[in-house]
Amino acid sequence: MKKESILNNIGFVIAVITILLVVYLKDDIVLAGIVAGVGGFLYGFCLSLTLNNSGYIFLSIGCSLALSLIFYRFKILDKGDSFTFMICCSVFLLMLVYLIFDKIKKKKIFNKYSLVVEAEVVDLVRNPNTKREFYQPVYSYNIDGVNYVVNALGYTDKFIPKLGDKIKLYIDPNDYESVYFDNKLVDKFYNIGLCLFLMISSFIIILSLFL
């Protein structure tokens, strides 16, 4: 049985057990919420190991819910502060988990698309369905004397390359027509910068709750 199937089955069992426990503990809402949070965290962790994006959300919200209710139950935080903690903690963990698993996902992708070639822009296809000027670059690359042509994944109106511009393409060595387009450098900086900004902001708010 594949690793992904095993993790999905474990996640399903965790979800069922969590639901049953929450129903059993329905008379104690706080305790039931803690159990739901722990179950959501474990379920999300299983999904995250399969690099399923929804797993990051379950993991982050589940952990934050459990922690906030524990702090509330033991009167470390009041109701309002507990809610604030849950929101900020969810954002912090979501950004952190995203950065970690995105790195893991990229490593797997680059292991598959391990052949790096230099491709040249040979055409710019204009999107006929819009009045604005959106273009889809067309790239050509040569492997073992054979030319291959591939279109970019979509149309864009920003940072449009010029004919003759060159970029790196990542090719599956078992299928020269299978291509991976890495994110542009500006997009990488934007994503990392946004994640760090949200993490730092959330951490400062969380810290202020305990001071």
Side-chain angles (χ1 to χ4, degrees):
M1 186 179 295
K2 293 183 179 179
K3 176 183 176 181
E4 185 173 340
S5 298
I6 294 174
L7 290 170
N8 286 333
N9 289 335
I10 293 174
F12 176 76
V13 172
I14 290 172
V16 171
I17 293 175
T18 300
I19 293 172
L20 292 175
L21 287 174
V22 169
V23 172
Y24 177 75
L25 297 169
K26 64 181 183 298
D27 294 330
D28 189 337
I29 297 178
V30 175
L31 183 57
I34 293 173
V35 170
V38 172
F41 169 79
L42 294 175
Y43 177 72
F45 184 73
C46 290
L47 288 183
S48 296
L49 290 178
T50 66
L51 301 182
N52 186 322
N53 291 338
S54 62
Y56 311 156
I57 299 174
F58 278 104
L59 188 155
S60 304
I61 295 178
C63 182
S64 302
L65 175 63
L67 287 174
S68 62
L69 289 176
I70 289 173
F71 290 147
Y72 175 70
R73 189 176 187 88
F74 289 97
K75 299 181 179 179
I76 299 173
L77 297 174
D78 61 25
K79 185 182 295 185
D81 287 345
S82 296
F83 181 76
T84 301
F85 173 86
M86 186 185 75
I87 297 300
C88 293
C89 187
S90 295
V91 172
F92 179 87
L93 290 176
L94 182 59
M95 296 300 102
L96 178 62
V97 170
Y98 167 77
L99 289 175
I100 293 173
F101 282 96
D102 183 64
K103 189 73 173 179
I104 296 173
K105 183 186 293 187
K106 284 293 180 67
K107 185 176 180 180
K108 291 185 66 174
I109 289 174
F110 289 135
N111 283 338
K112 178 181 179 180
Y113 297 91
S114 57
L115 179 60
V116 182
V117 301
E118 189 176 69
E120 180 179 342
V121 179
V122 293
D123 196 8
L124 293 171
V125 180
R126 190 179 187 280
N127 188 342
N129 300 316
T130 177
K131 293 181 180 179
R132 293 179 60 184
E133 293 190 357
F134 283 82
Y135 291 93
Q136 181 183 47
V138 179
Y139 298 97
S140 175
Y141 55 96
N142 185 288
I143 300 178
D144 296 334
V146 179
N147 283 323
Y148 298 87
V149 177
V150 63
N151 289 24
L153 296 179
Y155 295 90
T156 182
D157 63 341
K158 297 178 180 179
F159 306 108
I160 300 172
K162 299 178 182 179
L163 295 179
D165 284 356
K166 297 181 180 181
I167 67 166
K168 288 183 179 179
L169 289 184
Y170 298 84
I171 313 294
D172 183 347
N174 298 313
D175 181 4
Y176 292 158
E177 294 182 331
S178 181
V179 179
Y180 172 73
F181 288 88
D182 195 15
N183 291 335
K184 296 178 181 178
L185 190 60
V186 63
D187 293 328
K188 291 181 180 180
F189 279 122
Y190 175 80
N191 291 336
I192 295 175
L194 179 61
C195 288
L196 291 177
F197 172 76
L198 291 173
M199 287 175 64
I200 293 171
S201 300
S202 300
F203 181 76
I204 291 173
I205 295 174
I206 290 172
L207 193 62
S208 68
L209 296 175
F210 296 93
L211 296 178

